[in-house]
Amino acid sequence: SRLEDADGCVVSRVLVGSFMTSFDMQGASVSVLPLRDVTEDIVALLDKETTAPAWVGCDVLENGKARPSSSEIPEVAAAAAPGTASGPAQLPPVEVEDFADLARAALAACSAALAEAEPLLTKYDTIVGDGDCGLTMKRGADEVASRLAAGSLRLRPPP
């Protein structure tokens, strides 16, 4: 590749997904993390399995082998009709008392925390990115707070 020939840069891991998007960004972005001078225990953390929903596992590339995520994954077959022997079990509905009040309080607290963290998020994103993370998060938080105040968010539990 041109990067390898020109700069000695070898791609060893590929992470693809919507890790975070930006209100002001159109297109795509590429982040490069130099691993040349990093200890193996730190590199191993990139490969470690996690249950964090926003962090997908990365492909570890080996010379001459196809990237693991380049293999097509077959679609999951549709589940059988409810109530049939092979269908999913019917679970009783989960009812949370005062769901709307709890949801409103949680969204308000999260919105306030994100808005308050804007300067710090902007500072860190200015170091490692394009500097709009704090603004992006604050805009989203302000919009949620605005819709909470206007009563325009659906806060009923799902059916």
Side-chain angles (χ1 to χ4, degrees), residues 135-149:
L135 176 64
T136 299
M137 290 292 154
K138 185 171 185 321
R139 279 184 181 172
D142 289 347
E143 182 63 23
V144 169
S146 170
R147 291 183 186 195
L148 277 174

Side-chain angles (χ1 to χ4, degrees), residues 94-106 154-158:
V94 175
E95 295 186 24
V96 177
E97 202 171 311
D98 300 326
F99 180 87
D101 293 335
L102 293 170
R104 185 178 294 104
R154 179 184 176 271
L155 297 174
R156 298 182 313 277

Side-chain angles (χ1 to χ4, degrees), residues 43-55:
V43 174
L45 293 174
L46 288 172
D47 304 331
K48 190 173 176 125
E49 287 192 31
T50 180
T51 58
W55 183 257

Side-chain angles (χ1 to χ4, degrees), residues 27-156:
S29 68
V30 174
S31 298
V32 177
L33 176 64
L35 298 175
R36 185 174 294 142
D37 299 323
V38 178
T39 60
E40 280 301 313
D41 58 326
I42 298 298
V43 174
L45 293 174
L46 288 172
D47 304 331
K48 190 173 176 125
E49 287 192 31
T50 180
T51 58
W55 183 257
V56 298
C58 63
D59 284 346
V60 178
L61 305 182
E62 298 178 39
N63 286 335
K65 293 188 178 179
R67 180 173 44 102
S69 64
S70 65
S71 302
E72 187 172 336
I73 298 172
E75 286 189 39
V76 175
T84 63
S86 59
Q90 292 297 311
L91 300 175
V94 175
E95 295 186 24
V96 177
E97 202 171 311
D98 300 326
F99 180 87
D101 293 335
L102 293 170
R104 185 178 294 104
L107 288 169
C110 290
S111 296
L114 280 171
E116 184 179 320
E118 184 272 328
L120 187 60
L121 293 170
T122 297
K123 174 184 174 183
Y124 290 146
D125 191 41
T126 301
I127 296 168
V128 299
D130 58 1
D132 70 346
C133 177
L135 176 64
T136 299
M137 290 292 154
K138 185 171 185 321
R139 279 184 181 172
D142 289 347
E143 182 63 23
V144 169
S146 170
R147 291 183 186 195
L148 277 174
S152 63
L153 284 180
R154 179 184 176 271
L155 297 174
R156 298 182 313 277

